[in-house]
Amino acid sequence: MRGGNWVGVVGRRLRKKTSYSSVHSISSTPTEYPNILGPNLPDVWTPTNQSHRPQSSAIFSNGNSARIIDGKPIAKDIKFRIAGEIQRMKAAIGKSPGLAVVLVGQRRDSKTYINIKLRACDEVGIATMVEELPESCTESELLDVVSRFNEEPSVHGIIVQLPLPQHLDEEKIMTVVSPEKDVDGFHPLNMGNLALRGRQPFFIPCAPKGCIELLLRFGVQISGKRSVVIGRSKIVGLPTALLLQRHHATVSTVHSFTKNPEQITSQADIVVSDVGIPNLVQGNWLKPGSVVIDMGTNLVKVSSQNLTFPLAKAGISCN
Ligand SMILES: NC(=O)C1=CN([C@@H]2O[C@H](COP(=O)(O)OP(=O)(O)OC[C@H]3O[C@@H](n4cnc5c(N)ncnc54)[C@H](OP(=O)(O)O)[C@@H]3O)[C@@H](O)[C@H]2O)C=CC1
Ligand SMILES: Nc1nc(=O)c2c([nH]1)NC[C@@H]1CN(c3ccc(C(=O)N[C@@H](CCC(=O)O)C(=O)O)cc3)C=[N+]21
């Protein structure tokens, strides 16, 4: 079982068992949804139709309740829309997008993440290629591969899988990926443009973009709300905070040097946990009615019937 990407609206005690609609269909009119956040990032957002928000409820052992958004139907809908756009592109100009992934070394987790991306590309019709380099490769060998993909017209997006081995300068390599092909959004030009009002990055890091998309589709008002992002990495924490700010939230960032994080999070309307520590955020860190998104995943060992097996567990405990 895998956890993470958990979203909930934390409520007070459950009065009686309540059922929430979980109706969602990929055949519903796509134009009813806000645009998938891209370069056309809206500065002002209009709530979507309530009936399209897939929800279920959870009751915790202490009697607290939360409404839970299942992101999977939303992901399905987004893939459905992208597949349709790619089909139209093929029909109109005879071309389809291509993604190149560069993997240095043999990390099992990196291979798993890459396989998830390749499978998603297959599903929607994006061509993929993977360039594998040995752990011992030199910086100039890696830069050559990236430069070749920068020049290759059939490659429209480049991912250099992180983390890289220690002897390679990650920041330098990020700046060599062409900003127009930087689908991770890690190039300083893209990250900088995300941070600057009125500017538009070519790409926004995907997990933060997905987080905002979930909030928008769930009808959560962001503008003017107090939000706390736990974590500040370039992959998730920092771009999430920047995106929330672009949507006019008042944003605080909690990191490993933050004192009294529970006090800060307990004032927030929206809490996004971008840290891979299980159960870091406890129920008493959250104000009733707050919206919580957990993007963290981590492998933990769980004993059950004398078996121990790895489980990806979310970083938020509501007990
Ligand atoms: N759902 C998705 O699509 C994605 C999920 N993830 C997941 O998100 C999690 C974080 O990943 P990533 O950002 O790459 O990890 P990093 O290790 O790069 O960053 C972790 C962040 O958490 C902060 N942090 C660490 N300990 C604490 C603490 N006790 N209290 C508050 N803040 C703390 C760190 O602070 P400091 O800066 O001070 O060190 C840092 O900013 C992981 O579980 C990862 O698997 C990542 C990418 C995509
Ligand atoms: N260049 C680069 N870009 C990255 O975006 C990048 C990276 N390097 N290195 C590693 C981190 C980590 N990361 C995660 C992605 C998904 C989940 C995740 O939780 N995915 C869900 C959904 C999986 C699915 O869609 O099937 C799950 O596993 O349940 C976690 C972590 C990305 N990273």
Side-chain angles (χ1 to χ4, degrees):
M1 198 181 116
R2 304 218 61 187
N5 299 339
W6 184 89
V7 183
V9 179
V10 177
R12 279 197 189 279
R13 294 186 167 274
L14 195 78
R15 277 188 297 270
K16 62 176 185 178
K17 207 169 176 208
T18 318
S19 67
Y20 295 94
S21 141
S22 59
V23 178
H24 186 82
S25 159
I26 58 166
S27 59
S28 55
T29 320
T31 49
E32 289 169 19
Y33 293 137
N35 283 337
I36 295 171
L37 293 181
N40 57 344
L41 189 74
D43 262 351
V44 178
W45 151 78
T46 317
T48 51
N49 184 335
Q50 175 90 32
S51 64
H52 290 291
R53 291 172 213 150
Q55 294 174 27
S56 59
S57 62
I59 306 163
F60 300 102
S61 54
N62 62 0
N64 281 348
S65 69
R67 279 180 287 150
I68 293 182
I69 304 169
D70 180 3
K72 291 213 173 346
I74 294 175
K76 202 170 164 186
D77 176 49
I78 292 171
K79 283 182 187 165
F80 179 79
R81 285 176 57 185
I82 292 171
E85 280 174 36
I86 291 174
Q87 266 176 11
R88 278 195 298 282
M89 183 195 267
K90 264 187 194 159
I93 60 171
K95 288 182 182 173
S96 51
L99 174 73
V101 182
V102 184
L103 171 64
V104 182
Q106 296 290 325
R107 281 178 68 113
R108 252 185 66 194
D109 59 343
S110 292
K111 287 189 174 186
T112 304
Y113 289 129
I114 290 175
N115 281 334
I116 293 172
K117 291 168 197 172
L118 298 180
R119 201 173 55 228
C121 286
D122 274 357
E123 281 168 33
V124 299
I126 296 174
T128 52
M129 61 207 78
V130 181
E131 182 81 30
E132 292 194 44
L133 292 167
E135 175 93 18
S136 59
C137 81
T138 64
E139 199 163 275
S140 84
E141 281 168 334
L142 175 56
L143 292 174
D144 281 352
V145 168
V146 173
S147 304
R148 188 158 46 79
F149 286 139
N150 281 342
E151 299 303 319
E152 171 57 52
S154 66
V155 170
H156 306 91
I158 302 169
I159 289 176
V160 179
Q161 188 64 26
L162 301 177
L164 291 169
Q166 292 250 310
H167 68 281
L168 301 171
D169 182 347
E170 186 178 302
E171 296 314 316
K172 183 172 173 189
I173 283 136
M174 293 300 107
T175 61
V176 172
V177 174
S178 163
E180 290 92 343
K181 297 190 179 187
D182 170 39
V183 286
D184 267 326
F186 298 161
H187 191 288
L189 185 86
N190 284 322
M191 199 61 84
N193 281 344
L194 183 61
L196 294 170
R197 199 174 184 146
R199 290 190 178 240
Q200 291 176 343
F202 291 109
F203 294 98
I204 296 167
C206 64
K209 190 168 160 180
C211 163
I212 301 294
E213 181 74 16
L214 280 179
L215 292 175
L216 295 177
R217 289 192 184 222
F218 191 44
V220 175
Q221 190 183 347
I222 304 175
S223 176
K225 296 293 175 185
R226 282 189 185 194
S227 63
V228 167
V229 178
I230 308 173
R232 55 175 170 178
S233 75
K234 71 164 172 284
I235 299 185
V236 270
L238 175 64
T240 303
L242 294 174
L243 269 174
L244 284 166
Q245 187 147 264
R246 268 183 104 110
H247 283 266
H248 309 305
T250 303
V251 186
S252 303
T253 299
V254 166
H255 47 71
S256 62
F257 291 83
T258 303
K259 296 200 170 65
N260 301 326
E262 63 280 6
Q263 252 171 37
I264 299 167
T265 52
S266 65
Q267 291 172 26
D269 304 300
I270 299 168
V271 176
V272 183
S273 175
D274 290 333
V275 48
I277 300 174
N279 301 325
L280 176 74
V281 178
Q282 298 289 317
N284 62 1
W285 286 36
L286 303 169
K287 128 175 143 177
S290 58
V291 177
V292 183
I293 300 197
D294 185 4
M295 288 205 266
T297 55
N298 33 269
L299 292 176
V300 293
K301 298 221 164 187
V302 171
S303 292
S304 169
Q305 295 168 344
N306 298 326
L307 293 172
T308 304
F309 54 91
L311 176 81
K313 198 162 186 307
I316 292 176
S317 161
C318 279
N319 293 320

